[in-house]
Amino acid sequence: MRLPKAGTIEVVPSVLSADFARLGDEIAQITSAGVSMVHLDVMDGHFVPNITIGPPVIKKIRKESDLVFDAHLMISEPAKYAEPFIEAGADHITFHIEVAEDPVGLIDKLHDLGCSAGICLNPETPVEAIASVAPLCDMVLVMTVHPGFGGQAFMPEAAKKIVQVREIVGPDIRIEVDGGIDTQTAPIVVSYGADTLVAGNAIFSKTDRNAAIEAIRRSFS
Ligand code: DX5
Ligand code: ZN
């Protein structure tokens, strides 16, 4: 599966806030709401102070879903694990600039392996850190919370970096935003130029996920 071409605004549920005991059902629910992608947060307890899922879980849900699997690697050694995540079924892999030893090499490797590539920057990381590699990516991820946990408050200053990123990458590369996205903050990040909106808590804390996704869509259109 490929990332949808730039030009549409996508709401991308992050299953971090889903019920992991019923992950297949949760993904089926968001699929029926018409999303094209699902955001999979991978944490190693080292780069971030939390541990989540790895390739075995992704491999299992791959059998259940045709959504684009957007894997957000919050791990210290992304290059070491790129292949296992692709083999498990990741379609798009985002890694963090803060821990990338050879970001261009890793982007090339992902592309060679048939996976699209994303670079991510933490709230305190300046846009300059990704300026040379962002144009080589298929999507740039701007964090609007400190990575590690769902349900945190949106950081307005970090979101402003979207404007700078858009200037660098032009209209054809997606800009994803992750952290604290809901019906209040979605219109702000869309106005800055984001087109791929990750939302965890705003969707999975609601019983009606379909309605929650629809409410976010309405908030910016
Ligand atoms: C946080 C993760 C996010 C998280 C977002 O480290 O990268 O994807 O699930 O959750 P919300 O939307 O609840 O801020
Ligand atoms: Zn994420």
Coordinates of all heavy atoms in Angstrom, one line a residue, residues 14 16-17 39 41 43 72 74 143 145-152 178-181 198-202, ligand 1:
S14 N -4.4 7.0 15.5 CA -3.3 6.4 16.2 C -3.9 5.4 17.2 O -4.6 5.8 18.1 CB -2.4 7.4 17.0 OG -1.7 6.7 17.9
L16 N -2.6 4.0 19.5 CA -2.0 4.0 20.9 C -3.0 4.1 21.9 O -2.9 3.5 23.0 CB -1.0 5.2 21.0 CG -0.2 5.3 22.2 CD1 0.7 4.1 22.4 CD2 0.7 6.6 22.2
S17 N -4.1 4.8 21.7 CA -5.2 5.0 22.6 C -6.3 3.9 22.4 O -7.4 4.0 23.1 CB -5.8 6.4 22.6 OG -4.8 7.3 22.9
H39 N -2.0 4.8 12.1 CA -0.7 5.3 12.7 C -0.3 4.3 13.8 O -1.1 4.1 14.7 CB -0.9 6.7 13.2 CG 0.4 7.3 13.7 ND1 1.3 8.0 12.9 CD2 0.8 7.5 15.0 CE1 2.2 8.5 13.6 NE2 2.0 8.2 14.9
D41 N 2.3 3.4 16.6 CA 3.4 4.0 17.4 C 4.3 3.0 18.1 O 3.8 2.2 18.9 CB 2.8 4.9 18.6 CG 2.2 6.2 18.0 OD1 3.0 6.9 17.4 OD2 1.0 6.4 18.2
M43 N 7.5 2.2 20.3 CA 8.3 2.8 21.4 C 9.2 1.8 22.0 O 8.7 0.7 22.3 CB 7.4 3.5 22.4 CG 6.4 4.5 21.9 SD 5.6 5.4 23.2 CE 4.3 6.2 22.2
H72 N 5.4 4.8 13.1 CA 6.2 5.9 13.7 C 7.2 5.3 14.7 O 6.8 4.9 15.8 CB 5.2 6.8 14.4 CG 5.8 8.0 15.1 ND1 5.1 8.8 16.0 CD2 7.1 8.5 15.1 CE1 5.9 9.7 16.5 NE2 7.1 9.5 16.0
M74 N 9.6 5.4 17.4 CA 10.2 6.2 18.4 C 11.2 5.3 19.1 O 11.0 4.9 20.3 CB 9.1 6.7 19.4 CG 8.3 7.8 18.8 SD 6.7 8.1 19.6 CE 5.7 6.8 18.8
M143 N 6.1 16.8 15.5 CA 5.5 16.4 16.8 C 5.0 17.7 17.5 O 5.7 18.7 17.6 CB 6.5 15.8 17.7 CG 7.0 14.4 17.3 SD 5.7 13.1 17.1 CE 5.0 13.1 18.7
V145 N 3.6 17.2 20.6 CA 3.8 16.8 22.0 C 5.1 16.2 22.1 O 5.7 15.8 21.1 CB 2.7 15.8 22.5 CG1 1.3 16.4 22.4 CG2 2.8 14.5 21.8
H146 N 5.6 16.0 23.3 CA 6.8 15.2 23.5 C 6.4 13.7 23.3 O 5.5 13.3 23.9 CB 7.4 15.4 24.9 CG 7.9 16.8 25.1 ND1 9.0 17.3 24.4 CD2 7.5 17.8 25.9 CE1 9.2 18.5 24.8 NE2 8.3 18.9 25.6
P147 N 7.2 13.0 22.4 CA 6.7 11.7 22.1 C 6.8 10.8 23.3 O 7.6 11.0 24.2 CB 7.7 11.2 21.0 CG 8.9 12.1 21.2 CD 8.4 13.4 21.7
G148 N 5.9 9.8 23.4 CA 5.9 8.8 24.4 C 4.5 8.4 24.9 O 4.3 7.2 25.3
F149 N 3.6 9.3 24.9 CA 2.3 9.0 25.5 C 1.2 9.7 24.7 O 1.4 10.8 24.1 CB 2.2 9.5 26.9 CG 3.2 8.8 27.8 CD1 4.5 9.4 28.0 CD2 3.0 7.6 28.4 CE1 5.5 8.8 28.7 CE2 4.0 6.9 29.1 CZ 5.2 7.6 29.3
G150 N 0.0 9.1 24.6 CA -1.2 9.7 24.1 C -1.8 10.6 25.1 O -1.5 10.6 26.2
G151 N -2.8 11.4 24.6 CA -3.6 12.2 25.4 C -2.9 13.4 26.1 O -3.4 14.0 27.0
Q152 N -1.8 13.9 25.5 CA -1.1 15.1 26.0 C -1.6 16.3 25.4 O -2.2 16.3 24.3 CB 0.4 15.0 25.8 CG 1.1 13.8 26.4 CD 2.6 13.8 26.1 OE1 3.3 14.6 26.7 NE2 3.1 13.0 25.1
D178 N 1.4 15.3 14.8 CA 1.1 14.2 15.8 C 1.2 14.7 17.2 O 2.3 15.2 17.6 CB 2.2 13.1 15.6 CG 1.9 11.8 16.4 OD1 0.9 11.7 17.0 OD2 2.8 10.9 16.3
G179 N 0.1 14.7 17.9 CA 0.1 15.1 19.3 C -1.0 16.1 19.6 O -0.9 17.2 19.1
G180 N -2.0 15.7 20.3 CA -3.0 16.7 20.8 C -3.9 17.2 19.7 O -4.5 18.3 19.8
I181 N -4.1 16.4 18.6 CA -5.0 16.8 17.5 C -6.4 16.5 17.9 O -6.7 15.3 18.2 CB -4.6 16.2 16.2 CG1 -3.2 16.7 15.8 CG2 -5.6 16.5 15.1 CD1 -3.0 18.2 15.6
V198 N -2.7 13.0 12.6 CA -2.8 11.9 13.5 C -3.6 12.2 14.7 O -3.5 13.3 15.3 CB -1.4 11.5 14.0 CG1 -1.4 10.3 15.0 CG2 -0.5 11.1 12.8
A199 N -4.5 11.4 15.1 CA -5.3 11.6 16.3 C -5.5 10.3 17.0 O -6.0 9.3 16.5 CB -6.7 12.2 15.9
G200 N -5.2 10.3 18.3 CA -5.3 9.1 19.1 C -6.5 9.2 20.1 O -7.6 8.7 19.9
N201 N -6.2 10.0 21.1 CA -7.2 10.2 22.2 C -8.5 10.8 21.7 O -9.6 10.4 22.1 CB -6.5 11.2 23.2 CG -7.2 11.1 24.5 OD1 -7.4 10.0 25.1 ND2 -7.7 12.2 25.0
A202 N -8.4 11.7 20.7 CA -9.6 12.4 20.2 C -10.6 11.4 19.5 O -11.8 11.7 19.4 CB -9.3 13.5 19.3
Ligands
DX5_1 C1 2.8 10.1 21.0 C2 2.4 9.4 19.7 C3 1.2 9.8 19.1 C4 0.0 9.6 20.0 C5 -0.9 10.8 19.8 O1 4.1 9.9 21.3 O2 3.4 9.5 18.8 O3 0.9 9.2 17.9 O4 -0.8 8.4 19.8 O5 -1.9 10.7 20.7 P1 -2.9 11.9 20.9 O6 -3.7 12.2 19.7 O7 -3.8 11.4 22.0 O8 -2.1 13.1 21.4

